[in-house]
Amino acid sequence: QVQLVESGGGLVQAGGSLRLSCAASGRAVSKYAMGWFRQAPGKERQFVAVINWSGDSTNYADSVKGRFTISRDNAKNTLYLQMNGLKPDDTAVYYCTADLSMATMSPRYWGQGTQVTVSS
């Protein structure tokens, strides 16, 4: 069992930056691939980024490439998402995820989500 708790969301102006964090706990959590998904009101859930267990392989949605950076600190069991150049379209609830597979679009474990709002 893995527990995930996100933090760092908030309100920011377009062009600004935020860093999301996800504290993970549970057995062998450092061996899981971890990622971020988001869901805006009235829209489907969307993949944002994923990182493998060791941190040396990442993948991003085209919509965030070059603006967002995913990273992890296994010593702290923490996942991060640095978001720069934020746009109003980035407004959504952001969810931290964990799964043994880096490729899945339906991760096994989810956090409760943190709201990110970008004003124009």
Side-chain angles (χ1 to χ4, degrees), residues 25-40:
S25 60
R27 187 169 179 269
V29 67
S30 63
K31 296 303 182 184
Y32 284 75
M34 297 186 72
W36 294 95
F37 283 71
R38 67 187 183 185
Q39 188 165 22

Side-chain angles (χ1 to χ4, degrees), residues 41-118:
K43 294 187 178 180
E44 292 188 354
R45 184 181 66 195
Q46 179 185 36
F47 164 77
V48 176
V50 66
I51 189 167
N52 72 336
W53 71 272
S54 61
D56 60 1
S57 180
T58 58
N59 191 25
Y60 295 91
D62 287 344
S63 59
V64 307
K65 277 181 183 176
R67 300 188 298 123
F68 290 10
T69 303
I70 189 171
S71 62
R72 66 189 296 166
D73 184 340
N74 283 344
K76 297 181 178 180
N77 285 342
T78 302
L79 176 73
Y80 303 99
L81 185 68
Q82 178 66 44
M83 304 185 294
N84 298 329
L86 283 161
K87 305 174 182 179
D89 282 350
D90 295 318
T91 295
V93 177
Y94 283 70
Y95 296 93
C96 172
T97 66
D99 195 280
L100 289 174
S101 170
M102 187 180 174
T104 181
M105 288 294 109
S106 297
R108 181 174 181 181
Y109 299 105
W110 293 75
Q112 84 288 350
T114 186
Q115 177 71 46
V116 171
T117 303
V118 185

